Amino acid sequence: MTDYTALTAAAAHAVGPLNSTSEAVWLDRVRRLAVELAFTARQVQQDVEQLDATRPFAAYLEKVEIEESSHRGLLTLLPSSGVRETIRTEQETTLRGRDMIARARELEGRWVLVYRYNEPMAGSKTHNVRMVARLMDLGEGTLPQEVARQVLIGDAGGNEQRARQAWEAAGLPLTGPVPAPDFDRARRKLRGEDL
């Protein structure tokens, strides 16, 4: 059984003191807000679980368009492999879709770390659509040192020694920003993908 004490306390704090309202009205406001907070907490948990299941990769975000048939954002990406790919957002008619499309438009023409997941296509058990869960600005083509290290450790299945060996073999810098194209090549080599 879930303990909702903390959510109820947060809701009571947000509603404020009882003052001139009746206790019944105040309690109803607290209850409704606590329920909304509980739903928000569940959504946050689902979003974090989705992010944990993503495969992040660095790419240059060339353009953002809206697909007429689905009303989804279409992001055209250029990874360091040079092979363009398209990834989708949720529908622009949803709050999450609108937010992601706006974020992507802010990042057009920049290197981004793309957190992607696969979503089953409607009406198909075998085909998936590549979806974006999060975009992180990498600037003009570099990754922060700590981000690069964490992503490489993830690619190595959590094996820090293997990630360190891949880092050294690729000649990645020991301090400062990491060039995104060099980092992407190191990742693909670590994962055994063709270069």
Side-chain angles (χ1 to χ4, degrees):
M1 186 166 174
T2 305
D3 182 6
Y4 293 106
T5 306
L7 286 175
T8 304
H13 181 73
V15 168
L18 185 60
N19 291 338
S20 62
T21 29
S22 74
E23 185 176 348
V25 169
W26 184 84
L27 287 171
D28 186 56
R29 286 182 189 154
V30 170
R31 182 194 55 76
R32 282 187 283 124
L33 184 54
V35 169
E36 286 303 315
L37 290 174
F39 278 107
T40 300
R42 287 183 184 154
Q43 185 61 53
V44 168
Q45 181 181 357
Q46 290 172 357
D47 290 349
V48 169
E49 288 171 358
Q50 184 182 64
L51 276 176
D52 287 344
T54 62
R55 287 193 60 189
F57 65 96
Y60 182 78
L61 179 52
E62 286 190 313
K63 65 181 174 179
V64 180
E65 302 171 294
I66 303 297
E67 185 177 48
E68 275 188 46
S69 61
S70 69
H71 301 284
R72 293 180 183 267
L74 295 178
L75 284 56
T76 302
L77 304 167
L78 183 60
S80 60
S81 66
V83 179
R84 281 182 180 77
E85 61 180 271
T86 302
I87 193 166
R88 289 169 168 73
T89 69
E90 291 186 23
Q91 288 87 357
E92 67 175 336
T93 54
T94 66
L95 181 59
R96 288 167 50 123
R98 275 193 309 276
D99 287 349
M100 183 58 72
I101 291 166
R103 173 73 173 148
R105 286 186 170 141
E106 290 172 5
L107 296 173
E108 275 183 296
R110 297 182 66 81
W111 280 88
V112 293
L113 190 60
V114 182
Y115 290 80
R116 75 147 180 101
Y117 65 98
N118 292 332
E119 182 177 277
M121 284 180 76
S124 175
K125 293 181 181 178
T126 57
H127 293 90
N128 291 318
V129 176
R130 293 166 58 96
M131 300 287 292
V132 60
R134 183 170 191 254
L135 293 173
M136 189 170 128
D137 187 4
L138 298 178
E140 300 298 323
T142 61
L143 288 90
Q145 183 84 205
E146 187 56 32
V147 170
R149 289 188 189 282
Q150 291 306 314
V151 171
L152 208 58
I153 290 169
D155 285 343
N159 185 326
E160 292 184 27
Q161 178 64 27
R162 188 167 165 240
R164 186 175 17 258
Q165 290 170 346
W167 188 282
E168 291 168 0
L172 297 176
L174 299 177
T175 60
V178 178
D182 297 343
F183 178 67
D184 216 30
R185 279 192 292 277
R187 292 187 69 211
R188 286 183 293 141
K189 186 172 183 182
L190 180 64
R191 294 189 310 245
E193 297 175 8
D194 293 331
L195 297 178

